[in-house]
Amino acid sequence: MSAEQVNLQLINPENELECIQLQPREDQLNLVASNADSLIHATKEITSKPYGIFAEERMIGFILFDNEIYNDGYYWILRFMIDEKYQGKGYAKLAIKEVIHKLKERTDCKQIRVSHVPHNIVANALYKKSGFQETGEFEDNGDIILSYYIS
């Protein structure tokens, strides 16, 4: 299976377990929150919604992002992962592109933000290849903040 296109579908009771079972590689476990944690987090974040990333009808990843502007004036990608079996095939870049496409349709979306732990150089490279730029800002926990400017 090679990456040609992905689509995003809301996580619901029917596909929630499938989402929870997705796993990053073992060496990435300290880089991302578990999907179970992310789904709990999603219930507390009123501006964001959790989506499964699908390729050919199969859930291959998970992404949680704002569907309305957050109170700081930005749209945020809060959680993002691709299952270990589907990494390195281009799906991550397609998923980010799909989120950008969805959010560009919103008239109040001027900037999309994302953050990652400082030593996650793979995420940093992915976001930069997708058009994000480092802001020079950091989260309270030290995570690096990147921004995508909607023109």
Side-chain angles (χ1 to χ4, degrees):
M1 189 169 14
S2 67
E4 287 165 29
Q5 66 179 72
V6 298
N7 66 69
L8 306 179
Q9 298 174 25
L10 277 171
I11 298 296
N12 58 40
E14 287 77 49
N15 62 20
E16 189 177 69
L17 186 59
E18 188 180 0
C19 177
I20 290 169
Q21 291 170 340
L22 297 173
Q23 289 289 320
R25 288 192 329 253
E26 200 163 319
D27 63 323
Q28 298 167 324
L29 290 172
N30 64 339
L31 302 179
V32 294
S34 75
N35 289 351
D37 281 352
S38 293
L39 290 173
I40 292 165
H41 182 79
T43 63
K44 298 175 188 152
E45 292 284 344
I46 54 163
T47 57
S48 67
K49 291 200 180 351
Y51 289 85
I53 302 164
F54 284 79
E56 297 175 16
E57 305 304 312
R58 182 174 291 148
M59 193 183 305
I60 57 145
F62 170 79
I63 193 159
L64 174 66
F65 63 94
D66 286 331
N67 279 231
E68 55 189 80
I69 204 159
Y70 190 63
N71 60 19
D72 63 3
Y74 305 115
Y75 281 79
W76 284 86
I77 297 172
L78 303 158
R79 305 283 172 91
F80 176 49
M81 65 82 68
I82 299 290
D83 184 81
E84 63 182 334
K85 294 187 287 294
Y86 303 100
Q87 291 182 17
K89 300 177 182 342
Y91 291 118
K93 194 167 180 191
L94 286 172
I96 295 292
K97 206 180 211 173
E98 189 61 27
V99 170
I100 291 168
H101 176 72
K102 275 186 176 309
L103 293 180
K104 269 185 171 176
E105 295 171 357
R106 301 188 170 271
T107 54
D108 63 349
C109 184
K110 306 291 179 232
Q111 199 178 132
I112 303 166
R113 289 194 150 197
V114 68
S115 66
H116 65 80
V117 295
H119 59 280
N120 192 343
I121 53 173
V122 173
N124 188 276
L126 167 71
Y127 295 133
K128 285 179 177 170
K129 279 188 206 145
S130 301
F132 285 78
Q133 303 163 20
E134 287 193 31
T135 62
E137 297 171 60
F138 297 87
E139 300 265 19
D140 293 340
N141 63 5
D143 287 1
I144 295 168
I145 298 174
L146 293 95
S147 193
Y148 181 95
Y149 297 91
I150 309 287
S151 47

